[in-house]
Amino acid sequence: MLRLLTLLLAFVSILGAESVAIPTMNFALSAPDTPQQLVSSLNVLVALTLLFLAPSMILVMTTFTRFVIVFGFLRQALGTQQVPPTQILVMLAMVLTFFVMEPIGKQAYADGIKPYIEEKIGYEEAFEKTALPFKNFMIRNTREKDLALFFRIRKMENPATVADVPLSIIIPSFVISELKTAFEIGFLLFLPFLVIDMVVASILMSMGMMMLPPVMISLPFKILVFVLIDGWNLLIGNLVATIK
């Protein structure tokens, strides 16, 4: 890198300062002259904000949270440290999320985004129709207790329909419901591997091998059991089946 900069400086010095033309650009910021210009600027700002928040929305409005937490519990239960790597688990959770959310995304596109692109409906109607399939999905997978919690915090009356439930209530309710479900599944995953650890530890203590770490001996048995029962197939099949 240093050699490249040295050669570049030498090349510029040979050409001379007069032969090198550096274009300059002047930027001027001014207030919008008409309401239409202001609306256009705000639309661009909203679009950029949505693009910036898109990864976060994937985390809180889909099943990604459930998948990635369960996979993390599985790795901890197996005791395999960094195997599978975190990147693999995150990508697997992302792929399963797209697999589960694909019908909902297609419905949202057909009901809201496509008519808006074709200029058949307005912006507000397009947003409501696009958000409605996601709202229905999140409410189906949200406990009534969690929804009631945030309605009680906001001191709002119970809604008559799903469309009356604001996203500011649905999203946090859905997130804590997903966290609870993921922890429940993680607890059930831990039980069989915990039994193996306890059995191995008891055998080692009865043999007087108290200095030998039980995890070192139980790890191959846990991996063997997980492979024999086709653990990945069983886990992902039941995990997807828990989604309503």
Side-chain angles (χ1 to χ4, degrees):
M1 186 65 181
L2 182 59
R3 292 182 179 178
L4 180 60
L5 290 175
T6 304
L7 291 174
L8 182 59
L9 290 174
F11 180 72
V12 172
S13 62
I14 291 173
L15 291 178
E18 296 181 354
S19 62
V20 179
I22 301 177
T24 59
M25 298 180 65
N26 297 322
F27 296 94
L29 296 177
S30 60
D33 298 328
T34 61
Q36 290 77 11
Q37 292 181 0
L38 179 60
V39 171
S40 300
S41 301
L42 290 177
N43 288 335
V44 173
L45 179 61
V46 170
L48 292 176
T49 303
L50 291 177
L51 290 176
F52 179 76
L53 295 177
S56 301
M57 301 304 289
I58 291 176
L59 296 180
V60 299
M61 295 181 63
T62 65
T63 56
F64 178 81
T65 302
R66 182 186 306 191
F67 291 146
V68 75
I69 291 178
V70 170
F71 293 152
F73 273 120
L74 174 63
R75 189 171 65 179
Q76 292 292 327
L78 286 172
T80 53
Q81 301 300 325
Q82 297 299 320
V83 179
T86 303
Q87 293 85 351
I88 298 298
L89 295 181
V90 171
M91 288 304 301
L92 178 59
M94 187 67 71
V95 170
L96 290 176
T97 300
F98 281 116
F99 173 77
V100 171
M101 301 299 297
E102 183 182 8
I104 300 167
K106 288 182 177 180
Q107 182 182 353
Y109 176 81
D111 295 344
I113 299 176
K114 187 177 180 181
Y116 178 71
I117 294 176
E118 296 174 351
E119 299 181 355
K120 295 180 179 179
I121 58 177
Y123 174 78
E124 294 182 357
E125 185 179 358
F127 179 81
E128 293 178 357
K129 290 186 176 181
T130 302
L132 185 59
F134 290 94
K135 291 172 68 174
N136 292 330
F137 169 79
M138 287 188 287
I139 287 181
R140 287 197 306 268
N141 292 275
T142 302
R143 299 181 304 164
E144 293 183 3
K145 182 179 179 181
D146 297 328
L147 278 172
L149 170 65
F150 288 95
F151 272 104
R152 187 168 63 251
I153 293 174
R154 281 282 184 88
K155 297 180 180 179
M156 298 173 59
E157 297 181 357
N158 294 332
T161 61
V162 175
D164 297 331
V165 183
L167 285 174
S168 59
I169 297 293
I170 296 178
I171 292 177
S173 305
F174 175 73
V175 171
I176 62 175
S177 294
E178 287 293 288
L179 289 174
K180 183 179 185 298
T181 303
F183 273 73
E184 290 176 347
I185 298 174
F187 172 75
L188 295 177
L189 279 175
F190 256 98
L191 287 179
F193 299 113
L194 182 61
V195 171
I196 295 176
D197 286 333
M198 293 176 64
V199 170
V200 171
S202 300
I203 294 174
L204 292 177
M205 290 184 65
S206 63
M207 296 175 62
M209 304 175 67
M210 292 179 293
M211 300 301 294
L212 184 64
V215 177
M216 184 181 300
I217 306 301
S218 63
L219 178 60
F221 290 100
K222 290 190 289 186
I223 295 176
L224 178 62
V225 170
F226 189 73
V227 171
L228 289 177
I229 64 173
D230 197 4
W232 287 110
N233 185 286
L234 187 64
L235 173 64
I236 292 177
N238 287 277
L239 192 58
V240 174
T242 61
I243 301 169
K244 300 177 183 179

